[in-house]
Amino acid sequence: MRRIVLDTPEDTEEITSEDLARLRSEMIDDFAQYWKEGSGEGSIQIFENNQIQSTLMIEPGIELGRIYLHIIDKVNGEDWLSVYDRENLEETIETVEEVYASVGLFLPLELAWKGIEEYVRTGRRTGEVDWITPKDVPPNGNW
């Protein structure tokens, strides 16, 4: 049995693809207000028969008005980082208290939504987002 668990800045709940419209409204349309609540970051975990398969970490960059996505694939032992601007991977910003990430990893909101939506629907990363692995981040960058 497949379960999807959303851990938000304020709460943890099980979700389905029927919740996508509400999630978009909260995470994207009300971006700044939503992400400034609670911890300021979120994750979505996919479970199959009560075994975690993967996690999508969602890191908002409030001052950038963008979101960085990090998929942790437990089944294949892979990490994937969204990338939008490879030229800005050495410049970092603080996403939440004392957590820094490369500016080039952050996606415009509409593109980030495509990544979140595909992950909720299929448990996979979308081909509409460019992805890199952590080893592709330069030494002066961070993920």
Side-chain angles (χ1 to χ4, degrees):
M1 178 173 93
R2 184 172 189 245
R3 290 179 33 240
I4 306 168
V5 177
L6 172 67
D7 184 19
T8 68
E10 290 288 313
D11 199 8
T12 299
E13 64 178 300
E14 277 199 39
I15 61 170
T16 67
S17 58
E18 282 98 44
D19 295 309
L20 284 169
R22 176 181 58 87
L23 293 178
R24 181 192 162 76
S25 173
E26 294 170 351
M27 292 180 178
I28 304 302
D29 300 339
D30 295 331
F31 173 76
Q33 179 182 346
Y34 179 78
W35 292 110
K36 284 181 181 177
E37 297 174 7
S39 68
E41 59 186 348
S43 68
I44 301 171
Q45 295 182 312
I46 307 273
F47 291 85
E48 193 71 47
N49 298 321
N50 290 324
Q51 297 290 320
I52 189 164
Q53 303 296 297
S54 62
T55 301
L56 172 66
M57 302 297 298
I58 305 168
E59 297 289 339
I62 301 296
E63 64 272 13
L64 294 174
R66 294 182 175 204
I67 292 175
Y68 147 52
L69 304 175
H70 174 189
I71 293 179
I72 304 163
D73 182 338
K74 299 281 190 181
V75 174
N76 297 307
E78 299 174 338
D79 280 89
W80 293 98
L81 314 173
S82 62
V83 64
Y84 186 69
D85 182 0
R86 290 174 186 263
E87 300 299 316
N88 276 323
L89 290 175
E90 291 189 4
E91 180 185 347
T92 61
I93 61 161
E94 188 173 22
T95 59
V96 294
E97 191 173 323
E98 297 188 33
V99 175
Y100 294 85
S102 294
V103 170
L105 299 175
F106 289 83
L107 305 170
L109 296 180
E110 287 302 318
L111 190 54
W113 176 249
K114 289 178 182 182
I116 294 166
E117 182 179 39
E118 180 72 14
Y119 183 79
V120 170
R121 288 189 193 279
T122 69
R124 295 187 179 94
R125 56 191 165 97
T126 180
E128 294 189 50
V129 168
D130 192 12
W131 300 92
I132 60 174
T133 64
K135 69 178 174 54
D136 297 319
V137 177
N140 292 338
N142 199 26
W143 54 280

